[in-house]
Amino acid sequence: CDDGLTEMQVNLALATRVQQKLRDAGYQVDLLQEFDERLSDYQALALISIHNDTCKLLGPEFTGFKVAAAASNAYPERATRLRECMIARYGAMTGMTFHESTVTIDMTNYHTFGEIHPDTTAAIIETGFLGSATDRAMLTQQPDLVANAIVAGVLCYIRNENIAQVTATPLP
């Protein structure tokens, strides 16, 4: 961004919180970099790639979050469920809207998804638009809220919770 804030700074702050919260809940969690050599044939119950959208001021309608399931998953129904859990929990807990119209093929075919084992269920989340003052404030000033929302989506998937029951996931 023009003021020096980077997507990497925001992503790392969120990802380390997500990692710790899932570890506190008893899960083994690997924190991987975008081009991490460990991604080659990586196997896990789930992989969530955490991102933020552009710093550019695109207009008032560019606010909210996006989630896309990996198109290359061997079990598309699992990837769809992970996506739906992430959308439901993240939206309910952050109050942000799902910005489906800007989900792209670059998200569903994100390069990391082609590296991991096809049995690893994966999704990508764009947690908000850094160019939106509202989104940016939440991402930078309320990282625990954002991390809790991501964790709730992951736990919804892992625990096979009812997607519509947003309060079902106790957070660590």
Side-chain angles (χ1 to χ4, degrees), residues 85-97:
C85 278
M86 296 294 294
I87 291 168
R89 297 301 191 270
Y90 193 84
M93 293 178 71
T94 64
M96 296 174 97
T97 57

Side-chain angles (χ1 to χ4, degrees), residues 9-158:
Q9 290 169 320
V10 177
N11 290 347
L12 185 58
L14 296 175
T16 55
R17 283 172 169 80
V18 168
Q19 178 187 37
Q20 190 58 55
K21 291 171 186 301
L22 286 170
R23 282 184 173 171
D24 290 348
Y27 296 95
Q28 177 185 338
V29 181
D30 297 320
L31 185 60
L32 305 169
Q33 295 181 12
E34 181 178 4
F35 297 101
D36 199 306
E37 63 185 34
R38 295 175 292 170
L39 286 167
S40 179
D41 212 31
Y42 184 77
Q43 290 184 284
L45 186 57
L47 181 136
I48 306 298
S49 190
I50 300 171
H51 297 261
N52 318 123
D53 217 314
T54 185
C55 291
K56 294 178 184 172
L57 299 172
L58 300 175
E61 68 275 15
F62 290 93
T63 181
F65 70 98
K66 300 181 272 190
V67 180
S72 59
N73 193 270
Y75 302 97
E77 68 283 354
R78 292 182 190 170
T80 298
R81 177 167 176 71
L82 175 59
R83 175 185 177 270
E84 295 304 313
C85 278
M86 296 294 294
I87 291 168
R89 297 301 191 270
Y90 193 84
M93 293 178 71
T94 64
M96 296 174 97
T97 57
F98 179 52
H99 205 273
E100 187 167 20
S101 66
T102 57
V103 171
T104 66
I105 194 164
D106 289 337
M107 292 178 70
T108 57
N109 291 319
Y110 183 57
H111 70 89
T112 295
F113 299 156
E115 298 174 41
I116 62 176
H117 192 281
D119 289 345
T120 299
T121 303
I124 184 172
I125 183 168
E126 295 272 358
T127 59
F129 288 83
L130 290 175
S132 160
T134 305
D135 291 7
R136 181 180 172 142
M138 180 177 296
L139 297 172
T140 59
Q141 297 170 20
Q142 298 180 19
D144 283 318
L145 170 65
V146 175
N148 282 340
I150 294 169
V151 168
V154 172
L155 292 179
C156 167
Y157 170 74
I158 291 171

